[in-house]
Structure formats: C-alpha cells, structure tokens
Amino acid sequence: MTIKDPETIHDVEGVPVHNVHRHDVVIIGAGLAGMRAAVEASDEFDVAVISKVFPTRSHSGAAQGGIAASLANEEEDHWEWHMFDTVKGSDYLGDQDVIETLVKEAPVVVREFEHFGAPFSRTSEGRIAQRLFGGHTKDFGRGGPVLRACYGVDRTGHVLLHTLYEVCVRNQVRFYSEFHALSLIIEDGECRGVVAWDIVNGGVHVFHAKTVMFGTGGYGKVFKITSNALANTGDGLGMVLRAGLPLEDMEFVQFHPTGLYLQGILVSEAARGEGGHLINGKGERFMEKYAPDKMELAPRDLVSRSIQTEINEGRGINGEAYVYIDLRHLGKEKIMHQLPQIHELAWKFLHVDCVTDPIPIQPTGHYSMGGIPTDIDGRVLLDGKQIPVKGFYAGGECACVSVHGANRLGTNSLLEASLFGRRCGKSIIRYLRENREFSDLPADAAVEAIKMVKRLLSSDGDEKIGKIREDLQVMMTGKCGIFRNEKQLGDLKKELRKLEERYANVRLDDKSETFNTDLLEALELGNMLEFSELIVEGAYARKESRGAHSRTDFPDRDDGEWLKHTLAWKKDGKISFDYKPVTITRFQPKERKY
Ligand SMILES: Cc1cc2nc3c(=O)[nH]c(=O)nc-3n(C[C@H](O)[C@H](O)[C@H](O)COP(=O)(O)OP(=O)(O)OC[C@H]3O[C@@H](n4cnc5c(N)ncnc54)[C@H](O)[C@@H]3O)c2cc1C
C-alpha cells in the first residue's frame, strides 16, 4: 500500500483510509492553546485545526475566574511580583527563565485579546477589570493580595475562546471538527503528521503536515470527582507515550479546593477572590489555622489540603465529606453581578440558592501541572531536555514547559495556554520559512492506528469500558489524590496493571463506524491507562512533599534530593525515569509560608 496521493481512498490491512489531507500546520486541539497558535500561524501559512469536540466546546470555555497579567489597571503591580508569586506558588519547581517570559509577556497577550474584541469586564474608567485570586500578592508577598486577574464576569474562558474562534474563521483556518486524533506520524526524529478517526462518518484519515502542534488539554477524567469536561482524557499524552517520547512531572496533579459536593463542578476561585468564606461543621472559618495571613486566598494546594484535613478529622458538615463556601455576606447584587454562573450552577446542580444558603463543596481533580516536555518556544523535546523533535510543538495544559512547577496559581493557566500557544505559532512560522517542502509520509504511517481501531471494533471479551473507567477513577482518587503514601501507591501500581489486562479483554457493543461513542470511550480509556501509571510511579518515586504532591510518609520538601523535574518513558509496558535540574535565576528556594 501507499498513501502518497491526496484524495485517494486506500486500503490498509482491510480498512479504508478515506482521505489524505495536506496542510502546512496541523493543530490538534481547539482550546486556547491550539486556537491561539492557529491565529498566529495562519497569518502566513495554511493551518488546519482538528478537534474531537466542536471548537467552542473545548474545556477552555469552562474557565470562569480570570487570566493573570500585571496590568496594574486598578492598583500598583509589577511583573516581578507576578514572577515571585508564580515561583513561590510552584514550590520552587517552576523553571524561572520560562516564568519570567510568562509574566513579562502576559500584559501583551491580554491586550491582544482586547484588540481581537474580547468582551472583558470593565472598570469605571473603561479599563479591563481585575480581581483578587489565590497566591497573587503585592510587593513580593509583603503587602497582601493584589488585583491581577483580568476577567469577563465569571465566564472568562468562554469569552476568550469565542474571540479566538472568530479570528480563526476570519483567517480562514480549516477546522476538522469531530475528528479524534489516534496517533502521531514520526519518522527520523521528524513529525510528519497525524492519523485521526472521523467521528461523524467513521473512517481513518491521514493528515500529512510540515508541522504538528498539540493543544490537547488536561486529563481530569482519571479522577472520580473532577471539574473537567468529559473530553479531558489526556489523549495527547497517550499518543506521545506511544510514539516513544517522555512525559514530565506527571506526579503533580492539582485538586481545586471548591468543587460542588459529589458533582465536582467548579465553584471558581473568583468566589473566594470576591470575598467568600470557607466554613467547617463547627461553623469555624478554619483557614485561620492553616494560612493565617492569606486565609481563603492561600494557594490551591494548601487550601485543598486544609479542607481535606477538616473532612478527614470529622469536621465536615454533619461529619460528611464536605464543607461550605459561604457567599451570603456578599449580598445579592454582588453575587448576581460578579458571580452569576456560580449562582446558576449551585442552583441547578445542588438546588442551593447561594444568596440565602452556603454551598456544599469538596476538593475536585482539576489540573495537570505535568505533561509533554517542551522548550520555551513550544518545541517538543525528544530526550525531555534539549533535543527537539523536528516539526512537533505542544502548548497549554497538555504541555510542561514548566511554568507551574509543583502547583499552579489560579489564572496562570489561561495565560499559559494563550501565551505559549502564541509562542508555538511564532516558532512554527520561523520553522516553515526554512522548511518549505513536505517530507514523505512513511508507507506504514496509519498501520498502528488502524490496528488499534480494528482490534476494538472486533473485540468480544467480557469486560465493559465504563466499568474499567469507573474502577480507574475510584482507585486514582482514593490512592493517588490529595494525600499519598507508599503503601497505597504501591497497591495502586499493581491494580493499574490489572486494569490494563482487563482492558485487553473488553467488548464493545456498538460495532458500527458512524458516531460510535463506545469506540471513542475505549480509545480515551486506553490513553488514560497509558499515562496514569506514570502519575502513580512518579508519585511513588518522589519521596518528599512539594506543592500538590503531598506524601504523608514524607511530609517535608527535600531540596537536596528532589529539587528536580521527573522525566518518564513507557516502552513495551516498562517505565523508566530520568531527571533534570530546575532552572533557578532570581529567587532561591526558601520555606513556603502563607
Ligand atoms: C472548570 C474549569 C475552570 C477553569 N478556570 C480557569 C481560570 O479561571 N483561569 C485559568 O487560568 N485557568 C482555568 N482553568 C484551567 C484552564 O481552563 C485550562 O488549563 C486551559 O483552558 C487549557 O487549555 P488548552 O487549550 O490547553 O486545552 P482545552 O481547552 O482543554 O482544549 C483541548 C482541545 O483538545 C482537543 N482534543 C483532545 N484530545 C483530542 C483528540 N484525541 N483528537 C482531537 N482533538 C482532541 C479537544 O477537542 C479540545 O479542543 C479552568 C479549568 C476548568 C476545568
């Protein structure tokens, strides 16, 4: 077989490859990272964006609270202060050279959004409004919280995502909506495209490209209680591992303090930024014990641990696994004006009117600090350290550049996705100016992907996808959640192997090719099983507590041994590790107190 000619239908192992498409740039993911890169690169080159959900349904659109930039629109602020907060928030694991870039370019990126037409909330003088968020402080933490989060009511992600989509349409970016990417095509250290499944019509498509960028987002769905969308299954990480590339710092997973009880749906940090209180079963504002200075506006890792400790020690509401976030004292007008979506979500999902009653909340799986190792220009690193894979880029939540280190500050992620998406776009342009020709597609480009789909469609074992996924989520939450220890992680390692064996013995009830959600869920579960082991093995290996990684058997941070990034590979089912140093420029590590 050959898959050289565009537009021809081919037969690979008895399965038709319906089409071969060609674009200078193929981006997987239509969140802020993917679409910001598309806006940039489409100024000069032919760009296609592939997304398994309709672009504006990407999880970026669910972001509520804000995007950080030291605009100083409402009070004094400086990029150095933003940098200090981000470094300290990261528990000193963030690379300070990239953090400096993040905070210096933040105002540019936010103003560009304004020029694209994003409808930000405004100050009375008509400037972009800014609100408080956890861990963002004045004067290197000496002067209390600072207004740094730019926002559009409590729908910030929604307004930014829609703005980018409109600019993409204007720039004639080609969207392949409802295509599920299956595998990367990498040959001789160069990325030459991707293989994807057409969800609506069925069938395998090959996308031949000069450059590929991943903006495939996070993987909250490996946890039972999560704020993440159904689509957040970390497919990009699975594809990268199968291509033999490493992942970085996978043990660092953020649990957001305030998810609606039992639902996980987010109550944005904006609720605390606007003045919300956390209350335990004894009616106490318990953050006094854990972060007397910053109270509810301490960073997320600390607040989540505090809530979980209250619950574990029996001080949840009525002894149950939740506490309250109380907004009542803010008054109806402020709630309806600044936090209308939170009011709506609490009402719709818990039947609580937060104007008159406190909202039951618990910590919820939220954000992945780790991911695909890249350099400051978004180039994916073959060895995780220095050597780029030619023509392959990643940005946003799927990538690890690493600006968040061991713990991300709220509002730094919309910023990272947009800013490094933009940097990926610029770096793709530089690459394409030098590399104008398509490299050949390898003849076997689609074979592995086709085998994977074929195996699932013809599967007739006795395991169900939904049951394995449920077991995975329950185990990951119970044994690799906010608090971890050697015994539970050790057990979990073995249990995950068993889940992989069960996955090899699944049966899909739906064997059709068109809109087969059974097939999609099976592909997603395959990816989640692929990288969950790295989260657990990384957490098992890291014998310290840092940021969101909290080991009850090693409660202290250990800079002597562990001030380093984890790199992990998975080849033929075997996991191997390497480590690389953290880049430290301005701020030497010190004890992290709030
Ligand atoms: C509820 C919620 C609220 C948040 N609030 C904030 C906030 O206020 N401020 C902040 O800074 N951060 C916030 N975050 C985090 C932030 O929103 C995300 O980290 C960021 O938006 C991720 O952007 P992204 O472009 O990397 O990925 P996403 O927006 O998640 O997009 C991923 C894209 O990849 C595509 N994709 C994935 N796999 C495949 C595949 N196999 N084939 C084809 N396409 C695929 C999807 O279709 C989608 O288009 C929040 C997150 C959540 C969940």
Side-chain angles (χ1 to χ4, degrees):
M1 73 100 192
T2 164
I3 43 176
K4 280 203 168 153
D5 312 322
E7 308 303 328
T8 320
I9 296 179
H10 306 275
D11 211 67
V12 183
E13 309 234 324
V15 178
V17 173
H18 291 264
N19 218 333
V20 179
H21 312 266
R22 276 199 176 146
H23 296 281
D24 293 335
V25 189
V26 168
I27 296 173
I28 314 295
L32 285 195
M35 288 213 281
R36 188 60 193 80
V39 163
E40 201 67 28
S42 59
D43 266 349
E44 205 170 318
F45 293 98
D46 159 39
V47 179
V49 174
I50 297 175
S51 174
K52 66 179 178 178
V53 299
F54 188 79
T56 49
R57 296 189 70 93
S58 301
H59 189 64
S60 291
Q64 303 170 352
I67 176 168
S70 56
L71 297 182
N73 276 356
E74 303 208 48
E75 59 179 350
E76 187 181 359
D77 197 6
H78 300 282
W79 65 259
E80 286 101 329
W81 295 358
H82 188 187
M83 176 169 177
F84 174 77
D85 290 339
T86 305
V87 171
K88 182 178 173 190
S90 81
D91 220 346
Y92 295 90
L93 193 76
D95 285 323
Q96 296 187 15
D97 52 345
V98 280
I99 294 177
E100 185 165 334
T101 301
L102 179 88
V103 298
K104 277 185 172 163
E105 290 183 7
V108 179
V109 167
V110 170
R111 288 204 185 95
E112 268 176 357
F113 268 121
E114 186 179 31
H115 294 175
F116 291 150
F120 285 107
S121 295
R122 298 281 162 180
T123 66
S124 50
E125 295 88 47
R127 295 182 179 172
I128 296 174
Q130 297 189 278
R131 60 161 55 119
L132 301 178
F133 244 78
H136 292 275
T137 62
K138 289 190 190 74
D139 194 13
F140 305 105
R142 287 189 286 261
V146 72
L147 295 163
R148 187 177 290 146
C150 313
Y151 62 95
V153 201
D154 56 359
R155 299 191 174 91
T156 312
H158 179 91
V159 306
L160 300 181
L161 193 68
H162 279 259
T163 302
L164 285 184
Y165 182 61
E166 286 166 18
V167 183
C168 282
V169 170
R170 189 186 69 199
N171 281 13
Q172 299 190 327
V173 169
R174 171 75 196 266
F175 282 98
Y176 293 88
S177 191
E178 300 188 320
F179 277 73
H180 185 110
L182 298 168
S183 66
L184 275 162
I185 304 169
I186 295 186
E187 183 92 340
D188 299 331
E190 181 186 355
C191 189
R192 300 188 185 170
V194 289
V195 182
W197 177 257
D198 177 350
I199 298 176
V200 179
N201 303 300
V204 170
H205 290 232
V206 170
F207 293 83
H208 189 188
K210 295 177 193 165
T211 53
V212 171
M213 184 220 162
F214 270 17
T216 49
Y219 58 71
K221 278 289 153 192
V222 300
F223 296 97
K224 179 81 185 125
I225 299 286
T226 175
S227 66
N228 279 202
L230 286 175
N232 287 16
T233 51
D235 300 347
L237 307 188
M239 287 187 263
V240 158
L241 278 182
R242 285 196 294 279
L245 303 173
L247 295 178
E248 182 172 342
D249 287 343
M250 289 296 285
E251 60 271 35
F252 297 101
V253 181
Q254 176 164 85
F255 290 82
H256 192 292
T258 56
L260 291 181
Y261 180 47
L262 294 180
Q263 315 280 337
I265 295 166
L266 198 70
V267 174
S268 166
E269 198 165 309
R272 280 171 289 137
E274 297 292 347
H277 295 165
L278 292 171
I279 308 287
N280 66 13
K282 296 171 112 180
E284 298 161 337
R285 253 182 100 187
F286 56 87
M287 284 310 297
E288 265 166 11
K289 277 184 285 186
Y290 303 95
D293 276 356
K294 301 288 178 290
M295 297 290 287
E296 281 86 357
L297 289 180
R300 289 180 179 173
D301 55 339
L302 208 163
V303 182
S304 289
R305 275 197 295 278
S306 310
I307 295 175
Q308 200 59 49
T309 304
E310 293 297 301
I311 292 171
N312 293 352
E313 294 179 358
R315 291 185 298 279
I317 307 297
N318 302 325
E320 302 281 332
Y322 65 94
V323 297
Y324 283 140
I325 183 160
D326 193 352
L327 307 179
R328 290 174 295 181
H329 55 286
L330 303 183
K332 185 169 183 179
E333 197 187 325
K334 187 163 185 181
I335 291 175
M336 299 316 276
H337 189 251
Q338 298 290 66
L339 305 166
Q341 189 178 200
I342 286 166
H343 181 268
E344 186 183 333
L345 291 172
W347 179 251
K348 284 196 172 148
F349 288 90
L350 294 181
H351 224 68
V352 168
D353 179 353
C354 64
V355 174
T356 53
D357 293 296
I359 311 173
I361 53 99
Q362 71 185 130
T364 181
H366 186 57
Y367 183 84
S368 46
M369 267 75 74
I372 307 164
T374 70
D375 68 10
I376 200 163
D377 292 314
R379 296 183 300 180
V380 175
L381 300 171
L382 188 68
D383 59 348
K385 293 177 179 169
Q386 270 179 331
I387 308 166
V389 182
K390 259 183 100 180
F392 187 28
Y393 303 79
E397 193 168 338
C398 71
C400 180
V401 55
S402 129
V403 285
H404 311 302
N407 172 61
R408 166 174 83 82
L409 292 189
T411 68
N412 265 354
S413 170
L414 290 183
L415 175 62
E416 179 207 12
S418 321
L419 191 144
F420 285 96
R422 179 178 182 268
R423 289 185 75 87
C424 281
K426 288 188 186 299
S427 140
I428 285 170
I429 289 178
R430 284 196 296 276
Y431 176 85
L432 288 176
R433 283 181 186 157
E434 307 272 304
N435 297 276
R436 298 211 163 252
E437 302 302 320
F438 281 92
S439 301
D440 284 346
L441 264 185
D444 61 353
V447 171
E448 281 309 313
I450 285 173
K451 278 189 187 159
M452 186 161 72
V453 171
K454 229 172 118 176
R455 187 183 73 74
L456 288 169
L457 285 179
S458 59
S459 60
D460 64 350
D462 32 47
E463 292 282 353
K464 288 270 183 253
I465 291 298
K467 184 72 184 88
I468 304 176
R469 186 180 55 220
E470 165 88 11
D471 290 350
L472 171 72
Q473 292 169 331
V474 170
M475 286 173 192
M476 288 295 288
T477 307
K479 297 184 176 167
C480 194
I482 296 181
F483 293 111
R484 302 154 172 195
N485 65 50
E486 179 158 321
K487 163 84 177 71
Q488 291 193 331
L489 292 168
D491 291 346
L492 186 52
K493 288 201 303 181
K494 291 181 210 133
E495 285 160 359
L496 289 184
R497 288 278 151 154
K498 286 198 197 123
L499 290 186
E500 286 191 28
E501 284 163 24
R502 285 171 58 192
Y503 181 71
N505 184 32
V506 291
R507 177 195 161 80
L508 266 56
D509 292 329
D510 186 350
K511 309 278 189 210
S512 70
E513 293 216 341
T514 50
F515 227 106
N516 184 342
T517 51
D518 245 14
L519 171 67
L520 301 177
E521 288 180 21
L523 291 166
E524 291 174 340
L525 178 62
N527 288 321
M528 293 199 282
L529 288 170
E530 198 86 72
F531 63 77
S532 289
E533 259 198 295
L534 267 62
I535 305 175
V536 176
E537 293 274 0
Y540 184 86
R542 187 174 280 272
K543 295 190 174 13
E544 66 157 355
S545 291
R546 182 186 297 273
H549 171 67
S550 186
R551 289 275 304 247
T552 50
D553 43 354
F554 296 96
D556 298 324
R557 197 176 82 194
D558 178 359
D559 285 344
E561 193 60 36
W562 288 104
L563 185 57
K564 57 188 179 186
H565 297 289
T566 307
L567 295 169
W569 287 256
K570 190 170 180 182
K571 279 185 191 146
D572 305 323
K574 284 208 179 67
I575 293 170
S576 55
F577 286 112
D578 193 4
Y579 293 92
K580 68 175 175 184
V582 176
T583 309
I584 292 170
T585 55
R586 285 168 179 257
F587 302 110
Q588 287 305 314
K590 56 181 181 184
E591 195 192 345
R592 190 167 159 250
K593 283 198 197 139
Y594 287 95

